[in-house]
Amino acid sequence: MIDSQMPKSLKSWKTSHWQPSRQEKRREYLKPYILDVWRTFKFYGYRRIVAYSQQTDVRKYLSI
């Protein structure tokens, strides 16, 4: 169901009770780390960023 077609009572309940998932929280915490790596090594792609992350301490960005 598209949000514009949703009844107002359900829409207001959904927005007031919504909580981000654990995975979404983790992604938000990792964004600054990935951006820092990318700014430092602009030629790094996905695979190199993952390999670099496994070699360094990423835990300081994960406060979950």
Side-chain angles (χ1 to χ4, degrees):
M1 185 180 289
I2 300 173
D3 282 347
S4 62
Q5 297 173 346
M6 196 178 301
K8 287 185 179 184
S9 59
L10 178 60
K11 193 174 188 179
S12 64
W13 181 88
K14 187 178 176 184
T15 56
S16 65
H17 289 81
W18 180 81
Q19 298 258 333
S21 67
R22 187 175 184 186
Q23 184 177 14
E24 190 172 354
K25 288 179 187 177
R26 185 173 186 265
R27 285 181 181 163
E28 288 300 316
Y29 283 118
L30 280 174
K31 271 185 190 179
Y33 172 76
I34 293 170
L35 283 173
D36 286 345
V37 172
W38 180 77
R39 286 183 186 125
T40 306
F41 308 104
K42 288 206 178 203
F43 53 89
Y44 274 18
Y46 158 75
R47 292 181 182 190
R48 283 190 178 175
I49 290 175
V50 170
Y52 180 82
S53 301
Q54 290 172 348
Q55 294 173 357
T56 59
D57 188 21
V58 184
R59 282 177 261 144
K60 65 181 178 183
Y61 289 91
L62 291 175
S63 59
I64 295 177

